[in-house]
Amino acid sequence: MSARQSILPLEVRQLVFEASGTRLLHDVNLSLTVGQRTVILGPNGAGKSLLLRLCHGLLTPSSGDINWRGAGTRDRAIRHQAMVFQRPVMLRRSAHANITHTLKIRGVARSERRERADAALALAGLSSLADRPARLMSGGEQQRLALARAWITEPEVLFLDEPTASLDPAATRAVETLIEGFHTAGTKIIMATHDLGQARRLADEIVFLNKGRLVEFSPARSFFENPETEEGRAFITGDLLW
Amino acid sequence: MSTILNAFSEAGALLASFDADFLAIVGLSLRVSLSAVLIACLIGFPLGAAVALFRFPGRGAVALMLNTFMGLPPVVIGLLVFLILSRSGPLGVLGLLFTPTAMIIAQAILVTPIIAALTRQTVEDLWREYGDHLRSLDARPLDRLGTLIYDARFSLTTAVLAGFGRAIAEVGAVMIVGGNIDHATRVMTTAIALETSKGNLATALGLGIVLLVIALAVTATVQVINAIGARKAAIV
Ligand SMILES: Nc1ncnc2c1ncn2[C@@H]1O[C@H](COP(=O)(O)OP(=O)(O)O)[C@@H](O)[C@H]1O
Ligand SMILES: [Mg+2]
């Protein structure tokens, strides 16, 4: 995954997003590099999902730039990224077929697909559910399947939008373990969450958003121990008014 | 009342007799309508999905045409096809008028807009759900199309059945381009029209009942297969 030059760093400059006349993201500036697990933290409606979708290329900025500095001009940066959504998109197929579908889309030869899908399912602890229709699986199983599906694309960057927001603690732990696996394998993690505990467990650095503005961007330790802003402090202590 | 009772015994007699002429008529009806539906699917699925997914010049015009043609009376389509296939028409040299092929063409034109329009709606709905994932994968347009049509296959059966219903039941188009020629282009609906005009109401009604039973049998078979498949794939 890291043999080639990475598409990182990601440079976000003066990013603005507006919808129907309302400014939802104001002048966001960010520079994200290889190795750090970045957690985008903030209350509901802060703009976390918008920021992730803009960075991944699912939305077009109203103004400003999103630049993958390491990406060549030869292929598209999104090909080196994957995204896992809060509500996983499950194809109307078996768990196994959900993965082979991705392999097919990415041009993997038919003869290799089965084996690679088996390996990804095993990694996510879903081997026994390979033939289960994906839409009949539990929320936690679906999210693990979404991660297995992302895994086989060998992304350099993995976006996660509140992947555990509707999961119980055990399922949450399983998902976090898989995320750690990506990190260990060299994938850049960029995850949105409103869950302080999760941010403490996973983050190397915090992007703290509130009301569509980037309020703080700092190493996780200093953010939690010594936030630079009143808003950051209020969010950590649970007193943020909005 | 007695006509209706007679009709049922006529229908029973027809079904029981295995009369060669009658079976030929039933066979041709099915052959023409099923062929037309097959052709309509081959055109209507990708066309409907493309209108749902892609922005291309003329997209609005295509959508308008689909909706208009969906409601066109079969006789009008029959007339258009007649004009095109008649000896002085643009495709007259093919000599297709008054053949089953002409009937298949007319019914395919009749059914394609129905299948395409229903496909467009189904695919649009599914895209709302799958769009993020397929765009995140950077799937090529044809892969998006293929994924959506494949995963919508159980909902699309409804479109296919609607198309088949329209084809097997219509009389105007096949009458005009087929000519209701005995042993050549006579199908159940044109036979019913003929018997009615001759005053053989019981026979006409008997044929009508048989038509109904066949349509029901086809629909029921497809729906059962569909329900089993859908349950296996956990569509609902
Ligand atoms: N397409 C849109 N049109 C209008 N408002 C939107 C749209 N998408 C998001 N919003 C609004 O933008 C704000 C930020 O949304 P979001 O990024 O989803 O927040 P978060 O993920 O942090 O909870 C919310 O107030 C939301 O209602
Ligand atoms: Mg969100």
Side-chain angles (χ1 to χ4, degrees), chain A residues 44-45 47-50 86 161-162 192:
Chain A
N44 277 321
K48 305 182 294 296
S49 297
L50 288 177
Q86 179 170 348
D161 191 359
E162 308 213 27

